[in-house]
Amino acid sequence: MSTSPKQADKTKVSGVILVDKPQGMTSQQVVSKVKYLFKSPSHDSKKAGHTGTLDPMATGLLPICMGEATKFSHYQLDADKSYEAVILLGGQTDTGDADGKIVEQAAIPTFGTALLEQVAQQFSGAQQQIPPMYSALKKDGKKLYEYARAGIEVERASRDIVIKAIDLKAIDHEQIQLTVTCTKGTYVRVLGEDIAKALGTLGHLTALRRTQVGDFNIDNAIALPDLEALALDSRQEQLMPVDACINIDAEMILTTEQCTRIHMGQRLNVFEQLTDDIKAYIAGNIDSESLENNEVAVNVNQQFISETDDSEQLTDTKPLKHEIPVDIRLINEDGQFLGLGAVSLNGRLQPKKLIQR
């Protein structure tokens, strides 16, 4: 009796592919399409995800992580992103873009280059932004857009964002070209609405295109029809390495014995392998916020002890600087990427996220 090949016997598709998302598709629909295009009797492409949602109306760069690369997708989720958008003045929609319906209109004032530069300066830098109702953020287990579709508006907490670069140029008397680089969590739809209000009118986006995510650029992305036109082997060639999302340069070479041990989940003493460069990297990346948080925890704990039992002595649990771990790339003696570990100045290395080969 013959048996079909087990799923475990299939080659797992792993890597990062940059896709130019078309208008009208959701980000998840693009992921599903890519998974289908990499699927074959000998290839498992079930595990995949994108690194930041784009609205259905939006086009542009959508990095998709497949297989083992999904373990490192958060580095691009947290990365800065760049967009190009068109703001149509004179009307506000319920969604903030052209997919919604007009809910309010206003006259469009005359504006010139000087005013646009002034408004751009006004929106540059650190600020707070209230997420739109038409978003996938959740409140009490339901997505905000579910409330919005039911005609319910719920209170949303403002979020800290940073506009790293912004440029506004007039297309005509009612349209503005917006180019922006911003931190994660920024809603360009809301930014467009706020810019219109700063000009004394209302507005919404009629076009939105993402051009950059971290170090990934739209120039290196492939359109879905072009990917579909390729043979499977050629599609595989479009995949970047599994560690493409990781923005860490520092690496540590492990011996064969050490590789075996970390794959067993064991911690290592690598003090003798800490070069001056690695030590400088660790020292430069120690999270000061972690120190502050631990200080707060210790202070609270000390206060609790003093209020409950003055005779009990509390040991200060604040980690010392040389104990604080920092992520580092791990490679074997053949130069193959193994995954990420957390290493501290005292030489302790803890395996963190390792890939399977």
Side-chain angles (χ1 to χ4, degrees), residues 111-124 166-169 195 198-199:
F111 57 89
T113 302
L115 179 58
L116 290 180
E117 290 178 353
Q118 178 184 333
V119 171
Q121 184 63 34
Q122 175 184 331
F123 284 93
S124 180
I166 183 170
D167 183 65
L168 298 173
K169 283 187 169 57
I195 288 170
L199 289 169

Side-chain angles (χ1 to χ4, degrees), residues 243-290:
D243 59 338
C245 285
I246 303 173
N247 55 2
I248 297 173
D249 293 326
E251 61 183 29
M252 175 173 286
I253 302 173
L254 301 184
T255 65
T256 302
E257 179 188 353
Q258 288 175 325
C259 291
T260 301
R261 289 182 59 191
I262 65 161
H263 278 104
M264 294 172 63
Q266 296 180 8
R267 288 182 296 186
L268 305 177
N269 183 345
V270 295
F271 187 79
E272 298 299 324
Q273 292 162 260
L274 297 183
T275 64
D276 290 342
D277 286 344
I278 292 178
K279 289 178 182 177
Y281 160 75
I282 298 171
N285 284 274
I286 287 175
D287 188 358
S288 59
E289 187 174 336
S290 296

Side-chain angles (χ1 to χ4, degrees), residues 80-84 180-182 209-214:
D80 293 345
K81 298 171 178 66
S82 297
Y83 300 87
E84 294 175 351
V180 62
T181 298
C182 49
R209 183 165 178 78
R210 187 157 65 193
T211 57
Q212 191 149 346
V213 176

Side-chain angles (χ1 to χ4, degrees), residues 170-244:
I171 298 174
D172 53 35
H173 71 283
E174 62 177 8
Q175 294 184 96
I176 296 171
Q177 176 77 44
L178 163 65
T179 305
V180 62
T181 298
C182 49
T183 53
K184 69 170 184 176
T186 302
Y187 285 89
V188 184
R189 283 179 287 142
V190 175
L191 181 61
E193 291 177 323
D194 291 343
I195 288 170
K197 289 175 183 176
L199 289 169
T201 185
L202 299 173
H204 63 274
L205 299 189
T206 57
L208 176 63
R209 183 165 178 78
R210 187 157 65 193
T211 57
Q212 191 149 346
V213 176
D215 293 330
F216 297 149
N217 192 282
I218 188 64
D219 293 340
N220 302 119
I222 185 170
L224 278 179
D226 294 336
L227 182 63
E228 189 168 11
L230 297 175
L232 181 60
D233 288 348
S234 297
R235 290 174 194 162
Q236 297 279 355
E237 293 173 1
Q238 295 294 319
L239 285 171
M240 303 167 72
V242 294
D243 59 338

Side-chain angles (χ1 to χ4, degrees), residues 55 57 86-106 131-135 148 153 156 188-194 196-197 201-207:
D55 295 333
M57 187 199 79
V86 175
I87 308 170
L88 176 62
L89 302 176
Q92 182 175 335
T93 67
D94 53 1
T95 60
D97 60 25
D99 283 346
K101 60 182 180 181
I102 297 289
V103 293
E104 192 175 353
Q105 292 180 303
M133 280 300 302
Y134 277 89
S135 66
E153 180 154 350
R156 289 98 66 202
V188 184
R189 283 179 287 142
V190 175
L191 181 61
E193 291 177 323
D194 291 343
K197 289 175 183 176
T201 185
L202 299 173
H204 63 274
L205 299 189
T206 57

Side-chain angles (χ1 to χ4, degrees), residues 255-328:
T255 65
T256 302
E257 179 188 353
Q258 288 175 325
C259 291
T260 301
R261 289 182 59 191
I262 65 161
H263 278 104
M264 294 172 63
Q266 296 180 8
R267 288 182 296 186
L268 305 177
N269 183 345
V270 295
F271 187 79
E272 298 299 324
Q273 292 162 260
L274 297 183
T275 64
D276 290 342
D277 286 344
I278 292 178
K279 289 178 182 177
Y281 160 75
I282 298 171
N285 284 274
I286 287 175
D287 188 358
S288 59
E289 187 174 336
S290 296
L291 285 171
E292 292 172 4
N293 290 340
N294 277 282
E295 286 172 359
V296 171
V298 169
N299 290 337
V300 170
N301 214 359
Q302 286 174 331
Q303 182 180 0
F304 174 77
I305 292 296
S306 64
E307 291 175 353
T308 56
D309 186 354
D310 291 336
S311 64
E312 187 172 351
Q313 297 295 315
L314 175 70
T315 302
D316 191 338
T317 57
K318 182 178 67 175
L320 300 174
K321 183 176 180 180
H322 70 274
E323 297 174 332
I324 298 175
V326 170
D327 289 358
I328 192 170

